[in-house]
Amino acid sequence: MTDSVPAPWVDGLTIGRMLAATVERHGERDALVFPALGYRRTYREFHDDVLRAARGLSALGIVRGDHVAVWATNVPQWVVLQFAAAEIGAVLVTINPAYRPFELKYVLAQCDAKALFLVDRFKSSDYFAMLAEVCPEAPTARGGELRSAEFPKLRTIVALRGTPPPGVLDWNDMPTDGEARTIDLAALEAELDPADPINIQYTSGTTGFPKAATLSHRNLLLNAYYVGEAQQLSAHDRICIPVPFYHCFGCVLGTLCAAVHGAAMIVPADSFHPAATLDAVESERATALYGVPTMFIAQLQDPSFAGRDLSSLRTGIMAGSPCPIEVMRNVIDRMGARQLTIAYGQTEASPVITQTRTDDPIELRVETVGRPLPGFEVKVVDPATGEALPDERQGELCARGHGVMLGYYRDPQATAAAIDAEGWLHTGDLAVRRPDGYYHITGRIKDMVIRGGENIYPREIEEFLFRHPAVEQAAVVGVPDPKFGEELCAWIKLKSGATATDEEIRTYVKGGMAHYKVPRYVRFVSAFPQTVTGKIQKFKIRDEMIADL
């Protein structure tokens, strides 16, 4: 099945050239809006901010290929920095704002950052204090010149928000410093190549240490273009972005996708809050809304939902985990996003590989993750032999095309394990291709549970549990067992006001699935351990169950 989409005008451009072209076309339209902060910029005003920040970065001695790390929540300066770094060819390294000192230390050392940009605090986290813990030399830095034994390449630390402590520069002072010098940004930009690395994103870390996926201008711009085309985005659209910027969902499908299509970026808050997201959709007349299923569920269940005017909503993206059909129906019927799309991918693919389209029936949007984006080849292979499998046979999903990363930074061994000699990215996800060309994700290879010699894929059981009228969310893992090798454990969050017992859940599964797929252990929980992007961290569930059992 092919898509009749126009040739991508962004192919062959850098992010800086793309933004300049968008300003020429849509300069007076809204570019970036933080309604709760009273912050609003047109594309022309936003571009001016970006160029000032780019000069500031250059004045700090940052040049093409240098790594600039950002450790912050969703604030306006984050987006300006993203485009400013791209303007001069610096590689933006996005750091999870949930990271604690141990994780920050690992990432800063691994990514070779020359500069670090951070916020002052978020909730109970004091970022300045955590930085001082891992980099005790920071408070003694003078004039932005840091010397650290632990991080030999790190020279400058800049506060995006708050009063900076000694040794840390203020974001508001940096552009002024840059303006004092005559920096020819056009000459710098002319040297850049669309194939240059421009972004390092750390994989979510649901298992083990995160790896640093390195992405190019072309990787990101083509993904942003085609993902927007699948939503039929135009300059008349206004995208509500409650997902974190540090993740591809925020800074590719959100900010870059908006800029490529001339759409407005509407950012509700520095992190996800259901009421703030609904406020932003309503007050700014958002036409598109992004999120993982848990975010949509939280908005639908928010006490303020009733009476909201969300009639502007048309489309958007739900991604990150399977969407229960009841949730999709509610998003369509109660929120009005009748053309909501489902996207699938991973950071290593920039990130989207497959996506449903706006006119797909609801069944395709909950039973599949769509069909490949133009320019992507997808195949399903036998994980053991690598042999390509026919339709309706389960195997590992592999992808090849414009979105495949350049590699993992400073990790050639992991890169070779992820991308084979023919350029195929091995996702580690199990999938089935249907005869109509749509793909169904059936689980993770590493999640497979082997119980008494039977291979069990937790995703299948989770999707069955989602159909239970009392179940809002479910996660299934394997735990060690002396008799069967592994046993199944289901963590279940019930819908508000619903009740169920562990025996009722087991009876329900027994009535629809093979006996060996019935969870031995059932635990009812109010929340799941999750990444910032809403992915359930199954290794934490497994560890807790092992400790309890």
Side-chain angles (χ1 to χ4, degrees), residues 449 451 477-481 484-489 518-521:
V449 176
R451 180 192 181 275
V477 301
V479 294
D481 182 78
F484 292 103
E486 285 185 289
E487 271 287 9
L488 292 171
C489 168
V518 177
R520 179 175 176 185
Y521 307 103

Side-chain angles (χ1 to χ4, degrees), residues 472-473 491-494 523-530:
E472 178 182 298
Q473 199 169 6
W491 275 27
I492 291 172
K493 182 182 179 184
L494 297 174
R523 175 179 286 187
F524 296 100
V525 297
S526 59
F528 296 87
Q530 294 179 334

Side-chain angles (χ1 to χ4, degrees), residues 257-318:
C257 186
V260 165
H261 293 88
M265 314 166 216
I266 312 297
V267 188
D270 56 358
S271 66
F272 174 68
H273 298 282
T277 303
L278 293 167
D279 286 343
V281 171
E282 192 171 25
S283 66
E284 293 296 329
R285 309 306 294 154
T287 60
L289 176 61
Y290 289 179
V292 297
T294 51
M295 290 179 174
F296 285 95
I297 291 168
Q299 290 169 77
L300 288 161
Q301 295 185 346
D302 190 83
S304 72
F305 183 84
R308 295 272 192 179
D309 178 7
L310 307 177
S311 58
S312 59
L313 278 180
R314 173 183 66 82
T315 187
I317 300 172
M318 192 186 300

Side-chain angles (χ1 to χ4, degrees), residues 419-446:
I419 305 172
D420 66 27
E422 295 180 342
W424 289 98
L425 172 67
H426 291 250
T427 65
D429 287 321
L430 292 164
V432 172
R433 185 181 62 234
R434 298 165 28 134
D436 59 10
Y438 283 70
Y439 287 79
H440 173 58
I441 304 299
T442 55
R444 289 284 295 169
I445 292 175
K446 291 179 181 177

Side-chain angles (χ1 to χ4, degrees), residues 1-7 226 229-232 353-360 370-376 437-438:
M1 189 174 294
T2 59
D3 289 88
S4 56
V5 294
Y226 284 122
E229 291 296 298
Q231 298 173 79
Q232 296 187 329
I353 297 170
T354 66
Q355 189 174 2
T356 62
R357 305 315 197 254
T358 55
D359 56 353
D360 282 338
R371 58 188 191 268
L373 295 184
F376 255 119
Y438 283 70

